[in-house]
Amino acid sequence: MKTIKAYKYAAITFVTLMASANIATAQIRVVATTPDLASIAREIGGNKVSVLALAKPTEDPHFVDAKPSHIVTLNRADVLIEGGAELELGWLPPLLESARNSKIAQGARGRVVASAGIRMLDVPTSFDRSKGDIHSLGNPHFLVDPDNAKIVAKNIADHFAAVDPKNAAAYRANLAAFTNNVDLKTIQWVRALAPFKGAKVVTYHKDFVYFARQFGLSIIDELEPKPGIAPSPAHLARVIGAMKTQGGKVLLVQPYQNRRTAETVARQTGAKVLMMPQQPGAVSGADTYTQMMDNLVNTLAAGLR
Ligand SMILES: [Zn+2]
């Protein structure tokens, strides 16, 4: 009798312990619009969070293919991290409308706008959407500057701590580690690109302005006449002329941009096309933010050598 009682007690204790362990390890559900934001969120959240990205690493963050599964993911999210500055204007608002999740509504603790606190470049003084420019609030491709990645990491840590206060200390510690690591890596990246200071580059989209400022590159022009507008023959002729007179050596493209157009320009100017994906996961071995940056720096240094 005594042993049965003891067994029962042990079983109940075990179940209770398991239940409380479950609560202790319940992760907050984080959704990021793009893989770069997701990568930083994983580093800040550690094992306290589960993170999903809506966009694929090889997808244009301005034009993500919206799927019904994205609505389900957003409906269940505790936190949403968006790039902001209208990066996701073309696809995120209708998904959010359908997801009906107040936890990630505009202004909620669970809504992180990565661009908050970033000093934006290319902010237009006047803006005409009918001309097709999609950088209406300034240039949203700011994460390829490591100084901006640190600001974004802090935004994420602040929101994680607000949504999940009992783990605030862990988020702060992870933020400190991330910041430290990025600082150390930045010294390496600056050193690796120092021999190429002032190098003339051309990009397909206006997506390397923050990178160029940080690492001292000089951007001659973009193949797109305006962000989001496909290259026209007249504009390409102007770019080719400028590359010839100024000595543009490399042309930077992303996986989702028209490589054939870039190759055509490269052939006429003697420049090299460099695949420079800004999203972790786009190439093997570059799955985190710092690995992605390593890949950009190494690819560019090799291309300019
Ligand atoms: Zn853009």
Side-chain angles (χ1 to χ4, degrees):
M1 199 61 188
K2 214 177 174 185
T3 42
I4 291 171
K5 244 188 181 169
Y7 172 77
K8 256 190 179 166
Y9 177 75
I12 290 164
T13 310
F14 178 72
V15 170
T16 315
L17 277 174
M18 285 306 285
S20 58
N22 231 352
I23 290 162
T25 57
Q27 295 176 312
I28 60 172
R29 280 181 286 220
V30 178
V31 178
T33 54
T34 51
D36 48 358
L37 296 169
S39 158
I40 297 174
R42 280 187 195 103
E43 299 208 35
I44 302 305
N47 61 5
K48 315 287 183 212
V49 303
S50 67
V51 184
L52 284 173
L54 297 177
K56 294 192 197 92
T58 51
E59 219 168 3
D60 186 337
H62 287 294
F63 304 104
V64 170
D65 197 8
K67 296 190 202 93
S69 64
H70 290 159
I71 296 168
V72 179
T73 303
L74 286 166
N75 174 262
R76 292 174 182 162
D78 299 307
V79 174
L80 168 65
I81 307 169
E82 62 173 325
E86 298 198 342
L87 175 70
E88 302 96 342
L89 184 70
W91 58 276
L92 186 62
L95 288 175
L96 282 171
E97 186 137 323
S98 303
R100 296 176 174 275
N101 180 351
S102 60
K103 285 196 251 179
I104 57 169
Q106 199 74 257
R109 273 182 301 192
R111 180 73 166 266
V112 188
V113 181
S115 61
I118 303 273
R119 196 185 300 172
M120 302 293 288
L121 297 177
D122 302 337
V123 179
T125 44
S126 69
F127 185 72
D128 182 359
R129 209 177 289 280
S130 68
K131 288 189 179 132
D133 187 340
I134 50 172
H135 289 177
S136 51
L137 295 179
N139 194 307
H141 307 285
F142 46 76
L143 266 180
V144 282
D145 178 344
D147 289 340
N148 290 339
K150 291 189 290 180
I151 295 172
V152 171
K154 180 165 189 313
N155 288 344
I156 292 173
D158 287 347
H159 280 265
F160 282 2
V163 169
D164 182 24
K166 67 181 187 305
N167 288 317
Y171 300 133
R172 272 196 296 274
N174 291 344
L175 173 64
F178 178 80
T179 303
N180 216 0
N181 185 35
V182 168
D183 281 339
L184 291 173
K185 293 298 293 186
T186 302
I187 295 168
Q188 290 176 24
W189 295 328
V190 167
R191 197 177 293 151
L193 291 177
F196 312 107
K197 203 139 236 161
K200 302 276 197 336
V201 306
V202 170
T203 65
Y204 190 97
H205 181 71
K206 212 167 183 158
D207 45 13
F208 278 93
V209 292
Y210 296 89
F211 186 93
R213 181 187 56 173
Q214 170 70 258
F215 298 111
L217 305 173
S218 168
I219 297 173
I220 296 176
D221 208 339
E222 294 82 34
L223 299 189
E224 290 180 340
K226 274 181 180 297
I229 305 293
S232 63
H235 178 71
L236 289 180
R238 276 195 296 277
V239 176
I240 289 166
M243 284 177 82
K244 282 178 176 167
T245 51
Q246 296 182 45
K249 288 202 175 62
V250 294
L251 226 159
L252 314 183
V253 300
Q254 306 270 334
Y256 46 82
Q257 294 163 352
N258 191 331
R259 193 177 173 129
R260 278 173 66 188
T261 304
E263 298 280 7
T264 305
V265 173
R267 262 197 307 278
Q268 294 182 49
T269 55
K272 254 184 278 184
V273 176
L274 300 181
M275 182 53 73
M276 299 265 288
Q278 297 190 349
Q279 294 296 336
V283 291
S284 68
D287 296 316
T288 66
Y289 174 76
T290 50
Q291 287 168 350
M292 177 276 290
M293 286 295 295
D294 274 338
N295 182 55
L296 289 185
V297 169
N298 295 339
T299 304
L300 183 61
L304 289 169
R305 204 163 281 139

Coordinates of all heavy atoms in Angstrom, one line a residue, residues 43-44 146 149-151 153-154 172-186:
E43 N 20.3 35.2 -32.8 CA 21.4 35.4 -31.9 C 21.0 36.1 -30.6 O 21.6 35.8 -29.6 CB 22.5 36.2 -32.7 CG 23.0 35.4 -33.9 CD 24.4 35.8 -34.3 OE1 25.2 36.1 -33.4 OE2 24.7 35.8 -35.5
I44 N 20.0 37.0 -30.7 CA 19.6 37.8 -29.5 C 18.7 36.9 -28.7 O 18.7 36.9 -27.4 CB 18.8 39.1 -29.9 CG1 19.7 40.0 -30.8 CG2 18.3 39.8 -28.7 CD1 21.1 40.3 -30.2
P146 N 27.6 47.1 -40.7 CA 27.6 46.5 -39.3 C 27.2 47.4 -38.2 O 26.6 47.0 -37.2 CB 29.0 46.0 -39.2 CG 29.8 46.6 -40.2 CD 28.9 47.0 -41.3
A149 N 23.6 47.0 -38.0 CA 23.2 45.7 -37.5 C 23.2 45.8 -36.0 O 22.3 45.2 -35.3 CB 24.2 44.7 -38.0
K150 N 24.1 46.5 -35.4 CA 24.1 46.6 -33.9 C 22.9 47.4 -33.4 O 22.3 47.1 -32.4 CB 25.4 47.3 -33.4 CG 26.7 46.5 -33.7 CD 27.9 47.1 -33.0 CE 28.3 48.3 -33.7 NZ 29.6 48.9 -33.1
I151 N 22.5 48.4 -34.1 CA 21.3 49.2 -33.7 C 20.0 48.3 -33.8 O 19.2 48.3 -32.9 CB 21.1 50.5 -34.6 CG1 22.3 51.4 -34.4 CG2 19.8 51.2 -34.4 CD1 22.3 52.6 -35.4
A153 N 20.0 45.0 -33.7 CA 20.0 44.0 -32.6 C 19.5 44.6 -31.3 O 18.8 43.9 -30.5 CB 21.5 43.5 -32.5
K154 N 19.8 45.8 -31.0 CA 19.4 46.5 -29.8 C 17.8 46.6 -29.8 O 17.2 46.4 -28.8 CB 20.1 47.8 -29.5 CG 19.6 48.4 -28.2 CD 20.4 49.6 -27.7 CE 20.0 50.0 -26.3 NZ 18.5 50.2 -26.2
R172 N 19.8 40.7 -22.9 CA 20.8 41.7 -22.8 C 22.2 41.1 -23.0 O 23.1 41.6 -23.6 CB 20.7 42.4 -21.5 CG 19.8 43.6 -21.5 CD 20.0 44.5 -20.3 NE 19.6 43.9 -19.1 CZ 18.4 43.8 -18.6 NH1 17.4 44.4 -19.2 NH2 18.2 43.2 -17.4
A173 N 22.4 39.9 -22.4 CA 23.7 39.2 -22.5 C 24.0 38.8 -23.9 O 25.1 39.0 -24.4 CB 23.7 38.0 -21.6
N174 N 23.0 38.3 -24.6 CA 23.2 37.9 -26.0 C 23.4 39.1 -26.9 O 24.2 39.1 -27.8 CB 21.9 37.2 -26.5 CG 21.8 35.8 -25.9 OD1 22.7 35.3 -25.3 ND2 20.6 35.2 -26.0
L175 N 22.8 40.3 -26.6 CA 23.0 41.5 -27.3 C 24.5 41.9 -27.1 O 25.2 42.3 -28.1 CB 22.1 42.6 -26.8 CG 22.3 44.0 -27.4 CD1 22.1 44.0 -28.9 CD2 21.5 45.1 -26.7
A176 N 25.0 41.9 -25.9 CA 26.4 42.3 -25.6 C 27.3 41.4 -26.4 O 28.3 41.9 -27.0 CB 26.7 42.2 -24.1
A177 N 27.1 40.1 -26.5 CA 27.9 39.1 -27.2 C 27.9 39.4 -28.7 O 28.9 39.4 -29.4 CB 27.5 37.7 -26.9
F178 N 26.7 39.7 -29.2 CA 26.5 40.0 -30.7 C 27.3 41.2 -31.0 O 28.1 41.3 -32.0 CB 25.0 40.1 -31.0 CG 24.8 40.5 -32.5 CD1 24.8 39.5 -33.4 CD2 24.5 41.8 -32.8 CE1 24.6 39.8 -34.8 CE2 24.3 42.1 -34.2 CZ 24.4 41.1 -35.1
T179 N 27.1 42.3 -30.2 CA 27.7 43.6 -30.5 C 29.2 43.5 -30.4 O 29.9 44.0 -31.3 CB 27.2 44.6 -29.4 OG1 25.8 44.6 -29.5 CG2 27.8 46.0 -29.7
N180 N 29.7 42.7 -29.4 CA 31.2 42.5 -29.3 C 31.7 41.8 -30.5 O 32.8 42.2 -31.1 CB 31.4 41.6 -28.1 CG 32.6 42.0 -27.3 OD1 33.3 42.9 -27.8 ND2 32.9 41.3 -26.3
N181 N 31.0 40.8 -31.0 CA 31.5 40.0 -32.1 C 31.5 40.8 -33.4 O 32.4 40.8 -34.2 CB 30.6 38.7 -32.3 CG 31.0 37.8 -33.4 OD1 32.2 37.7 -33.6 ND2 30.1 37.2 -34.1
V182 N 30.4 41.6 -33.6 CA 30.3 42.5 -34.8 C 31.4 43.5 -34.7 O 32.1 43.8 -35.8 CB 28.9 43.1 -34.9 CG1 28.9 44.2 -35.9 CG2 27.9 42.1 -35.2
D183 N 31.7 44.1 -33.6 CA 32.8 45.0 -33.5 C 34.2 44.4 -33.9 O 34.9 45.0 -34.6 CB 33.0 45.6 -32.0 CG 31.9 46.6 -31.7 OD1 31.4 47.2 -32.7 OD2 31.6 46.8 -30.5
L184 N 34.4 43.2 -33.4 CA 35.7 42.5 -33.8 C 35.7 42.2 -35.3 O 36.7 42.4 -35.9 CB 35.8 41.2 -33.0 CG 36.1 41.4 -31.5 CD1 36.0 40.0 -30.8 CD2 37.4 42.0 -31.2
K185 N 34.6 41.7 -35.8 CA 34.5 41.4 -37.2 C 34.7 42.6 -38.1 O 35.3 42.6 -39.1 CB 33.2 40.7 -37.6 CG 33.0 39.3 -37.0 CD 34.0 38.3 -37.4 CE 33.9 37.9 -38.9 NZ 34.8 36.8 -39.2
T186 N 34.1 43.8 -37.6 CA 34.2 45.0 -38.4 C 35.7 45.4 -38.6 O 36.0 45.9 -39.7 CB 33.4 46.1 -37.7 OG1 32.0 45.7 -37.6 CG2 33.4 47.4 -38.6

